[in-house]
Amino acid sequence: MIMRMAAAAAAASLLALAAGTALAQSALQDQIVQNGRLQTSDPQVDGAFYDCYAIDAQAGDAWTITLQSEDFDSYLAIGSGSSCGGSMSVFGTNDDGDGIGLNSRLSYSFDYSGRYLVRVTSLGDGDTGRYTILGVRSRGGGSTALPTRVLLRGTEYGNLEAGDRAEAGGGAYFDCFTFGALNGQAVTITHSSTDFDSYLKLFAGVSCDGAELARDDDGAGSLNSRIQYTFDEDGIYSVRASSLTRDTGAYTLEVELR
């Protein structure tokens, strides 16, 4: 398997490797973005290779897990047991999540605290390749209070409004989107709006602050923005979609990650 992003483990929010090669745990508060690879050395279930992850959930937690891959038709299963193999007690599955093509998305609310398993696999037998798994938790069954949204390939729709995060010193409102990328992948992000002059910034890390990698104002023509960037290492990245000034309104974010 390829390198997985490692961070200090948070006891209340953990997406960790539970089977297969022992690798570093990954925890980013209530949101996890992690890169992986299905390969022929992985275990198999019903003819398909799989990786196994664990969620340490508290009663009332609701988790949404998204699995995306350009290399295979992804498939997700969630359940319990000692492994993600044939003995796993499966609670739910998903093949193609609504509006995300051959990527998978599975949401589940937990009535009891404990460790639960997430099986990452392909729909077809023997498929291999790279993937990104993204996990977001909502505490106590309420809406998630995360500063970020998971960014997938395709089109996202948003709305800047008073009360959104804002740049320091009374600056522009912005939405923050988080995604995982692999060494050598290139991303094109286009931010457009008929309500305001759009502005984009790309960051290393999960929360749209810290090390800024790129920015753009009018690169997509007119008052629309576009960032094109090639990554030189596996990692977690985030993009800040804002207006050039403190304007509000609807926008579209188009993403191509290849």
Side-chain angles (χ1 to χ4, degrees):
M1 298 179 186
I2 65 174
M3 180 190 74
R4 301 179 187 272
M5 297 303 296
S13 176
L14 178 65
L15 187 68
L17 193 70
T21 305
L23 296 177
Q25 293 179 343
S26 177
L28 294 172
Q29 298 179 356
D30 293 325
Q31 180 161 304
I32 297 97
V33 182
Q34 190 158 324
N35 300 313
R37 183 188 294 272
L38 291 182
Q39 53 191 15
T40 55
S41 59
D42 288 336
Q44 289 179 277
V45 61
D46 297 329
F49 299 110
Y50 70 85
D51 285 340
C52 189
Y53 295 82
I55 291 173
D56 286 337
Q58 302 297 312
D61 282 355
W63 277 84
T64 298
I65 310 296
T66 303
L67 174 64
Q68 61 185 51
S69 176
E70 293 294 311
D71 295 336
F72 56 84
D73 186 354
S74 66
Y75 195 77
L76 272 175
I78 191 168
S80 63
S82 59
S83 77
C84 287
S87 63
M88 177 180 170
S89 177
V90 176
F91 305 151
T93 62
N94 182 259
D95 175 18
D96 300 331
D98 186 25
I100 56 174
L102 297 181
N103 299 309
S104 308
R105 178 174 290 144
L106 184 60
S107 297
Y108 196 85
S109 297
F110 297 95
D111 294 327
Y112 303 99
S113 299
R115 169 157 287 197
Y116 299 89
L117 302 179
V118 176
R119 183 165 64 209
V120 169
T121 188
S122 61
L123 184 65
D125 292 351
D127 291 337
T128 58
R130 300 188 298 184
Y131 66 82
T132 301
I133 184 171
L134 311 99
V136 177
R137 181 180 71 167
S138 302
R139 294 186 175 184
S143 60
T144 181
L146 295 174
T148 63
R149 292 162 56 183
V150 170
L151 183 63
L152 293 172
R153 299 163 181 82
T155 302
E156 299 275 351
Y157 300 96
N159 195 68
L160 294 180
E161 54 191 358
D164 284 345
R165 293 175 67 188
E167 296 186 356
Y173 299 115
F174 67 88
D175 287 337
C176 182
F177 294 84
T178 299
F179 62 99
L182 302 173
N183 180 22
Q185 282 190 306
V187 69
T188 299
I189 304 172
T190 303
H191 179 31
S192 57
S193 175
T194 58
D195 294 335
F196 55 80
D197 185 354
S198 67
Y199 200 71
L200 276 175
K201 292 182 180 180
L202 178 67
F203 297 85
V206 71
S207 58
C208 286
D209 53 25
E212 184 180 317
L213 301 177
R215 64 169 65 192
D216 183 71
D217 179 14
D218 299 328
S222 186
L223 299 180
N224 299 315
S225 307
R226 177 173 292 142
I227 285 177
Q228 295 176 303
Y229 191 86
T230 300
F231 300 96
D232 58 10
E233 61 180 343
D234 294 356
I236 300 167
Y237 300 92
S238 53
V239 61
R240 181 185 293 183
S242 72
S243 60
L244 185 62
T245 56
R246 200 176 172 84
D247 295 323
T248 58
Y251 66 85
T252 300
L253 201 66
E254 297 175 271
V255 182
E256 181 184 2
L257 186 64
R258 56 193 185 281

